[in-house]
Amino acid sequence: MHQIVDFPSMPQVTAVTRTKADLDSLVQECPSIKPVCVDLSDWDATEQALKDVGPVDLLVNNAAYPKLQPFLEVTPDEFDMSFNVNVKAALHVAQIVARGMKARGSGGSIVNISSQASQCALKDHAVYCATKGALDMLTRVMALELGPDQIRVNSVNPTVVMTRMGKIAWSDPEKGKSMLSRIPLGKFAEVEDVVNSILFLLSDKSAMTNGVILPVDGGFLAC
């Protein structure tokens, strides 16, 4: 799980994740990145780890726990972990960042990474769908409450994305066929498709865009 915090004025990026190996790999690729290793499901540890980070002008909430279970097999532990990471961690990090934005009076932009699963029932996704639906509504309320301080909050909701894990999970033609048949463009999203949408929402080019739930799904939710 990870989140990216961006500092345009100092051009500095801080990456936050619980997996040190991922941070080490990221720093090798981009030595200017500041790594912060913390489990974002731990409220107190996150508060401590991020208290001196900043000033932050742009935030991408990208932490996620994608454990899938059939509805009748959902366990309390998996339910709690999913909501702790997918919803509560996003809320907490955004609170920390938004307080600084408000105090400086400089505004800012926050992008929460949600999913097409927030708006469409998917088999074995009972809890995951619920967390992403909650994240979408959290995005809207944040946009409402933070807007007067010129802090914009939006959400990006991708379909299946061809990350390394996405390719492993969906490269089997038989498995991917049913999902692809529901996407009018007939293909899954590439990482760049999601990144470009995030960059637009972070930038001044979207200065009047606030509280938007933006599908990056090839038309999946349109059908």
Side-chain angles (χ1 to χ4, degrees):
M1 65 185 71
H2 66 277
Q3 296 180 295
I4 303 296
V5 183
D6 192 276
F7 307 80
S9 60
M10 300 186 293
Q12 185 179 47
V13 175
T14 297
V16 185
T17 179
R18 69 175 183 176
T19 309
K20 188 176 184 301
D22 289 344
L23 286 174
D24 292 342
S25 175
L26 190 60
V27 170
Q28 283 187 343
E29 292 181 32
C30 307
S32 63
I33 286 178
K34 177 182 177 181
V36 176
C37 191
V38 65
D39 182 350
L40 292 169
S41 68
D42 186 326
W43 188 280
D44 292 336
T46 299
E47 191 83 32
Q48 185 68 23
L50 299 184
K51 67 177 183 178
D52 296 322
V53 171
V56 180
D57 298 293
L58 307 173
L59 168 67
V60 179
N61 266 321
N62 192 40
Y65 182 74
K67 178 71 173 182
L68 304 182
Q69 292 178 307
F71 169 72
L72 293 177
E73 297 176 15
V74 172
T75 62
D77 287 346
E78 294 296 346
F79 182 95
D80 290 344
M81 178 59 76
S82 294
F83 270 89
N84 282 343
V85 175
N86 296 355
V87 185
K88 190 163 76 171
L91 179 149
H92 189 206
V93 174
Q95 281 182 329
I96 295 170
V97 169
R99 286 180 184 131
M101 291 175 176
K102 182 174 180 177
R104 293 192 306 277
S106 57
S109 180
I110 298 172
V111 177
N112 294 323
I113 307 304
S114 184
S115 168
Q116 67 183 16
S118 70
Q119 301 178 51
C120 179
L122 300 172
K123 185 180 179 182
D124 298 334
H125 284 63
V127 176
Y128 187 76
C129 285
T131 64
K132 293 304 185 178
L135 184 61
D136 282 1
M137 189 52 68
L138 177 64
T139 296
R140 292 186 172 104
V141 175
M142 288 169 61
L144 174 65
E145 295 190 9
L146 299 177
D149 297 298
Q150 302 306 303
I151 300 169
R152 298 184 298 106
V153 187
N154 296 287
S155 172
V156 169
N157 295 49
T159 184
V160 174
V161 182
M162 289 290 95
T163 60
R164 181 176 57 195
M165 290 302 296
K167 289 177 181 177
I168 294 173
W170 292 92
S171 60
D172 179 5
E174 283 303 311
K175 181 178 180 180
K177 185 177 179 180
S178 62
M179 180 66 74
L180 283 171
S181 68
R182 300 172 65 182
I183 301 175
L185 290 184
K187 59 184 178 180
F188 293 135
E190 298 295 334
V191 173
E192 291 77 10
D193 298 322
V194 180
V195 170
N196 289 337
S197 297
I198 294 170
L199 291 175
F200 167 70
L201 291 173
L202 291 176
S203 74
D204 291 339
K205 293 180 179 179
S206 62
M208 273 297 287
T209 305
N210 189 35
V212 164
I213 308 302
L214 178 63
V216 182
D217 65 354
F220 179 93
L221 291 173
C223 302

